[in-house]
């Protein structure tokens, strides 16, 4: 079910809001249970069987959260629980997203004929798996209280506004809001306006420039002029921004309608003057997730030598590319960003040149 579909706009959302604010007003536990059931129903609408995969993730991470909270003072035990939770969560995403890709490459490399059948990818699995990982680690870091009630863990992992296309909500961001959020008319009205803005980005802009991009890309090279190729590239540039940021706006707006405050996911990325700045503005929830849970634990930028810094960046951007899709094109795409960001970091690119001409050159280079 898409946010822009008539089923969602005229059926699902009005019904959920009516029940939440009219029939369950003032009853927080009942509201949370209802939002969980509504979210599972939202997911099951298009993925009826894969909702059980999500339920497995919820139950498993609820147990890991309890264990890591119990053993927090015993470092070895707590870290063992975290390791097992990572194997569990990454194992789920590996089976559904990367197993076919891995088997295919093994067969090509060694000439084998291993078969794993056709595995269908559950929608949104990359998003809710990363949120599940965040839950366990944030409890260990004492950046949020453990949820004794598994239904609250389920609400955090499956909450429908950010379930399909993000933003990736870290547990520390909403830990207190699960049971202690406050709904106000001002927040609700701001949520409605934000949702409408995102819907406009998606329907009025992204869907229409997509027609130009698709037509340009589908033309044979003999029938596509240089000018029309550039027009197609420009149209696609606008399409991916307004489509993705539109969904993020709708998710943030929906969250506000129910008293949740999610962090921003896009802040004018196309005004950036470096690749590093671009990733501070584009899909912020993903880049901050990798920074918080991969880059900093590896040592981040505070390492003794440049080789270690480059290694840390390599790991992060390899995984970033792989997260986007099980295909060598995505891995190469991630490694391309690794090259640009490494060069920028080692050369101090962002600090060089403060003139209007230099700023213009940096912007053109980035785009």
């Amino acid at each position: 079910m898409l946010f822009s579909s008539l089923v969602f706009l005229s059926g699902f959302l009005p019904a959920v809001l009516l029940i939440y604010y009219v029939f369950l007003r003032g009853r927080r536990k009942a509201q949370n249970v209802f939002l969980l059931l509504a979210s599972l129903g939202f997911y099951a609408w298009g993925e009826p069987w894969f909702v059980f995969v999500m339920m497995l993730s919820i139950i498993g991470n609820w147990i890991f959260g309890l264990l890591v909270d119990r053993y927090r003072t015993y470092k070895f035990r707590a870290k063992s629980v975290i390791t097992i939770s990572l194997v569990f969560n990454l194992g789920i995403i590996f089976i559904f997203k990367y197993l076919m890709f891995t088997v295919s490459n093994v067969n090509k490399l060694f000439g084998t004929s291993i078969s794993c059948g056709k595995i269908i990818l559950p929608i949104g699995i990359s998003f809710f798996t990363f949120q599940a990982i965040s839950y366990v680690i944030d409890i260990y870091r004492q950046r949020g209280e453990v949820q004794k009630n598994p239904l609250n863990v389920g609400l955090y992992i499956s909450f429908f506004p950010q379930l399909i296309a993000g933003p990736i909500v870290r547990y520390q961001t909403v830990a207190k809001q699960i049971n202690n959020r406050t709904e106000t008319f001002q927040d609700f009205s701001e949520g409605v306006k934000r949702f409408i803005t995102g819907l406009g980005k998606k329907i009025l802009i992204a869907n229409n420039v997509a027609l130009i991009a698709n037509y340009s890309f589908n033309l044979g090279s003999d029938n596509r002029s240089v000018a029309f190729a550039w027009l197609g590239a420009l149209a696609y540039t606008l399409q991916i921004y307004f489509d993705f940021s539109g969904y993020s706006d709708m998710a943030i707006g929906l969250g506000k309608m129910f008293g949740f405050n999610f962090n921003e996911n896009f802040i004018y990325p196309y005004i950036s003057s470096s690749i590093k700045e671009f990733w501070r503005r584009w899909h912020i929830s993903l880049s901050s997730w990798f920074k918080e849970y991969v880059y900093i634990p590896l040592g981040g930028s505070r390492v003794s030598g440049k080789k270690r810094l480059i290694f840390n960046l390599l790991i992060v951007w390899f995984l970033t590319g792989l997260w986007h899709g099980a295909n060598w094109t995505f891995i190469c795409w991630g490694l391309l960003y690794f090259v640009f960001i490494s060069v920028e970091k080692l050369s101090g690119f962002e600090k060089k040149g403060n003139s209007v001409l230099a700023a213009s050159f940096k912007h053109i280079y980035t785009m």
Side-chain angles (χ1 to χ4, degrees):
M1 192 186 306
L2 301 177
F3 294 156
S4 56
S5 68
L6 290 177
V7 173
F8 180 84
L9 294 172
S10 61
F12 181 85
L13 182 59
V16 171
L17 288 171
L18 177 67
I19 295 172
Y20 184 86
Y21 279 107
V22 176
F23 296 104
L24 300 177
R25 184 174 181 81
R27 298 159 59 190
R28 179 63 72 217
K29 289 183 179 180
Q31 287 178 326
N32 285 349
V33 172
F34 170 68
L35 286 180
L36 170 61
L37 295 175
S39 297
L40 292 176
F42 173 86
Y43 192 74
W45 180 270
E47 305 279 352
W49 292 108
F50 290 136
V51 73
F52 295 107
V53 177
M54 179 179 290
M55 292 172 67
L56 175 65
S57 176
I58 291 169
I59 295 170
N61 286 285
W62 169 65
I63 294 172
F64 292 132
L66 294 175
L67 291 174
V68 82
D69 182 65
R70 176 186 296 179
Y71 297 130
R72 186 185 291 114
T73 55
Y74 304 94
K75 295 295 184 181
F76 176 77
R77 292 184 183 181
K79 289 183 178 181
S80 297
V81 172
I82 290 175
T83 301
I84 296 170
S85 73
L86 289 174
V87 172
F88 173 79
N89 286 298
L90 296 177
I92 290 175
I93 198 172
F94 175 80
I95 290 171
F96 287 99
K97 190 170 183 177
Y98 302 109
L99 181 58
M100 288 196 303
F101 174 68
T102 303
V103 169
S104 174
N105 281 279
V106 168
N107 286 338
K108 291 178 181 178
L109 186 61
F110 298 103
T112 56
S113 57
I114 302 171
S115 176
C116 62
K118 183 174 178 58
I119 301 174
I120 300 174
L121 179 66
I123 191 169
I125 191 171
S126 298
F127 291 96
F128 72 72
T129 300
F130 271 29
Q131 293 194 178
I133 293 172
S134 169
Y135 171 70
V136 179
I137 295 178
D138 284 355
I139 290 173
Y140 173 74
R141 294 175 174 176
Q142 294 183 291
R143 296 180 179 177
E145 292 185 2
V146 65
Q147 294 292 337
K148 306 292 185 181
N149 188 341
L151 301 181
N152 288 341
V153 179
L155 176 60
Y156 162 67
I157 292 176
S158 69
F159 190 35
F160 73 88
Q162 38 72 38
L163 179 59
I164 302 300
I168 301 170
V169 180
R170 288 180 288 171
Y171 181 62
Q172 59 184 287
T173 304
V174 297
K176 295 180 180 179
Q177 298 175 34
I178 292 175
N179 289 313
N180 300 300
R181 63 188 180 275
T182 301
E183 300 92 341
T184 65
F185 179 78
Q186 181 178 354
D187 283 343
F188 186 88
S189 61
E190 288 179 359
V192 171
K193 288 189 287 185
R194 188 66 180 269
F195 181 84
I196 292 172
T197 299
L199 185 64
K201 284 182 177 180
K202 167 65 178 171
I203 298 298
L204 301 179
I205 303 178
N207 285 1
N208 284 295
V209 294
L211 299 176
I212 302 172
N214 292 339
Y215 185 75
S216 174
F217 293 164
N218 289 331
L219 280 176
S221 57
D222 293 338
N223 299 320
R224 182 174 53 229
S225 66
V226 172
F228 197 66
W230 275 104
L231 179 61
L234 176 61
Y236 185 65
T237 302
L238 296 174
Q239 177 195 345
I240 57 174
Y241 169 68
F242 285 108
D243 193 302
F244 203 177
S245 70
Y247 266 107
S248 291
D249 285 340
M250 287 188 276
I252 292 170
L254 287 168
K256 280 186 174 292
M257 292 184 204
F258 295 100
F260 289 91
N261 292 296
F262 301 150
N263 293 333
E264 293 296 330
N265 206 25
F266 289 85
I267 304 178
Y268 303 108
Y270 288 162
I271 69 169
S272 302
S273 296
S274 69
I275 300 298
K276 182 180 177 181
E277 182 188 358
F278 175 80
W279 278 100
R280 290 197 296 261
R281 296 173 175 274
W282 176 279
H283 205 347
I284 301 168
S285 63
L286 177 67
S287 54
S288 64
W289 194 97
F290 273 110
K291 179 181 179 180
E292 186 76 21
Y293 301 108
V294 180
Y295 186 62
I296 292 177
L298 286 173
S301 300
R302 298 180 179 180
V303 289
S304 57
K306 293 181 180 179
K307 289 183 179 179
R308 180 66 190 191
L309 172 62
I310 292 173
F311 174 78
N312 292 348
L313 291 171
L314 173 63
I315 295 298
V316 167
W317 286 103
F318 172 81
L319 293 176
T320 300
L322 192 62
W323 181 88
H324 278 83
N327 196 301
W328 283 108
T329 55
F330 286 112
I331 294 174
C332 291
W333 172 87
L335 294 177
L336 184 64
Y337 275 115
F338 155 72
V339 171
F340 278 114
I341 289 178
S342 296
V343 171
E344 288 182 359
K345 266 188 171 294
L346 296 176
S347 65
F349 178 80
E350 287 188 312
K351 299 178 182 178
K352 293 183 177 180
N354 297 317
S355 66
V356 175
L357 182 62
S360 299
F361 170 79
K362 286 182 175 182
H363 178 67
I364 294 171
Y365 143 78
T366 302
M367 292 303 295

